[in-house]
Amino acid sequence: MSATDQTLDTPRSRPPFGLTRLVLTTLAPIVAALLLSALVLALLSVDPVAYYAYVLRRGLTSWLGLQATLTRMAPLLCLAASLIMAFRAGLWNLGIDGQFLLGAVLVGATAQPLSTVLPQAAMLPLCILVAAAAGALWALVPALLKAYEGVNEIITTLMMTFLGISLANVLVKLLFLDPATTVPQTRTLPVADRLPTLPESTISSGLLIGVVAVLAVHFVMTRTAFGMRLRIVGTNPRAAVHAGLSVPALTIAVFCLSGALAGIAGAVEVLGVQGNVRADWNPAYGLAVIPLVFLARFNGVAAIVFVFAFSILSIGGESAARRLGVPHFFTLVVVSILLIALALAEYVDHRRRQRTT
């Protein structure tokens, strides 16, 4: 089953996006998610207005909070680029969390040793390439099964995510363990050797990598012949065959490029923020970004806006959780409600369009 077979269809199969659809499928799910989340907060005896006010104050209006928000965006944007690449090609790469973690772990294992023998200008790009290769290789198995056996990529990529998370933990605890620490983790990259920050701030320059990745993917998928071939393969594989396109080769290319971008997201997080990878670390960024990409209608510019909004909620929500006694995972609850609201809105819009045609 391809992404074009789902209720959340691809842009190529949609009619022009008017004001009614904008309100119904983008704004309405956001408002519904915020209102339902407020209800959950009220049931937890937490003032929803105070919670959202603190989120905005900590994640947006304070300079320190805004810097943290922009830094948080860096890996999320790379993951958004990964998903846009796959979804616009009509394929579901739901294995990005596994690809992200494996890229992060390999960078965590290699960055510190490489920093002792290579200048920073060579070490950082090499680490990013290592992470991209790790993500691409981990996406290769679902790609081959989809391309040559027609196996449902939703199932295989989810399975590979589970295996990737488990393998990442094993690598940290056994093969890449830092013997100098009591906490299972990789060696720590010194702050001076990490991605530089933007001038007069603590914002990681990984933000620029993320923005470039999203815009580059958007340009490739909407303005190039290669992107057009990928969209044809996803929308109508039979037509692609009649047009002389190699469906298996293009399917593998999509998965590997998408996996590489997910691996780069892991590298950006380690090189720009964490400096190492601890055992059992899994921020689950991938599943959080999926509804944002759908809200953006697979548009790169819109994805940047929604990732920024989510980053505000994420950074502000972490502080609000400590201040107001809200569970630290409440941000994921909001995202889950948003995903459900988005699916319901798409269903309603689909039925509405059926009645008008």
Side-chain angles (χ1 to χ4, degrees):
M1 179 165 37
S2 69
T4 52
D5 296 325
Q6 309 303 313
T7 301
L8 299 173
D9 49 1
T10 61
R12 297 292 292 179
S13 62
R14 295 195 189 103
F17 202 76
L19 179 60
T20 301
R21 295 198 68 217
L22 173 66
V23 173
L24 178 62
T25 63
T26 300
L27 300 181
I30 295 173
V31 173
L34 292 177
L35 291 177
L36 290 173
S37 299
L39 178 60
V40 174
L41 288 170
L43 293 175
L44 294 173
S45 301
V46 176
D47 183 359
V49 176
Y51 177 84
Y52 287 132
Y54 197 84
V55 166
L56 290 175
R57 185 165 61 249
R58 180 65 179 87
L60 180 62
T61 59
S62 74
W63 176 231
L64 289 177
L66 180 59
Q67 291 178 94
T69 294
L70 294 174
T71 297
R72 176 64 57 86
M73 288 179 64
L76 300 179
L77 287 174
C78 292
L79 291 172
S82 171
L83 290 170
I84 291 172
M85 169 69 72
F87 291 163
R88 273 193 172 271
L91 298 170
W92 290 80
N93 177 16
L94 301 184
I96 56 175
D97 278 326
Q99 297 151 12
F100 170 91
L101 278 177
L102 287 174
V105 167
L106 287 181
V107 168
T110 58
Q112 192 275 333
L114 287 176
S115 68
T116 62
V117 296
L118 292 176
Q120 186 184 39
M123 181 271 293
L124 293 175
L126 181 58
C127 286
I128 291 175
L129 288 175
V130 167
L137 287 174
W138 202 248
L140 188 59
V141 173
L144 293 173
L145 290 174
K146 174 68 176 180
Y148 294 107
E149 301 296 333
V151 178
N152 189 312
E153 73 272 20
I154 296 177
I155 298 173
T156 55
T157 54
L158 285 174
M159 290 176 61
M160 292 300 287
T161 285
F162 174 77
L163 293 174
I165 293 171
S166 300
L167 177 58
N169 285 326
V170 169
L171 291 174
V172 172
K173 294 178 180 179
L174 298 179
L175 188 59
F176 300 141
L177 180 66
D178 182 0
T181 63
T182 56
V183 178
Q185 65 181 40
T186 62
R187 298 178 186 273
T188 301
L189 180 67
V191 174
D193 293 324
R194 299 178 192 176
L195 287 171
T197 58
L198 299 184
E200 305 298 327
S201 74
T202 60
I203 303 169
S204 169
S205 56
L207 174 66
L208 301 180
I209 296 176
V211 171
V212 169
V214 169
L215 295 181
V217 167
H218 181 79
F219 176 80
V220 168
M221 297 303 292
T222 61
R223 295 290 186 269
T224 68
F226 177 67
M228 183 184 68
R229 294 189 188 100
L230 296 182
R231 295 198 308 273
I232 292 174
V233 168
T235 303
N236 194 332
R238 291 185 178 180
V241 171
H242 287 300
L245 301 178
S246 174
V247 175
L250 290 173
T251 299
I252 292 171
V254 170
F255 271 105
C256 288
L257 289 172
S258 179
L261 288 166
I264 291 173
V268 166
E269 180 71 2
V270 172
L271 297 175
V273 180
Q274 303 292 338
N276 59 38
V277 177
R278 293 190 175 188
D280 301 316
W281 175 68
N282 178 20
Y285 287 153
L287 293 179
V289 173
I290 289 174
L292 307 180
V293 170
F294 276 108
L295 281 172
R297 328 316 299 177
F298 313 141
N299 181 287
V301 177
I304 295 174
V305 175
F306 284 112
V307 166
F308 177 60
F310 172 77
S311 298
I312 295 172
L313 178 63
S314 179
I315 294 297
E318 291 172 0
S319 298
R322 293 191 296 268
R323 179 67 64 90
L324 302 176
V326 179
H328 68 279
F329 54 79
F330 187 74
T331 300
L332 293 180
V333 174
V334 179
V335 171
S336 300
I337 295 174
L338 175 60
L339 187 57
I340 295 171
L342 176 62
L344 291 174
E346 286 282 350
Y347 172 76
V348 172
D349 179 63
H350 179 70
R351 293 296 299 269
R352 183 183 65 84
R353 285 189 284 123
Q354 280 186 327
R355 290 194 298 268
T356 57
T357 56

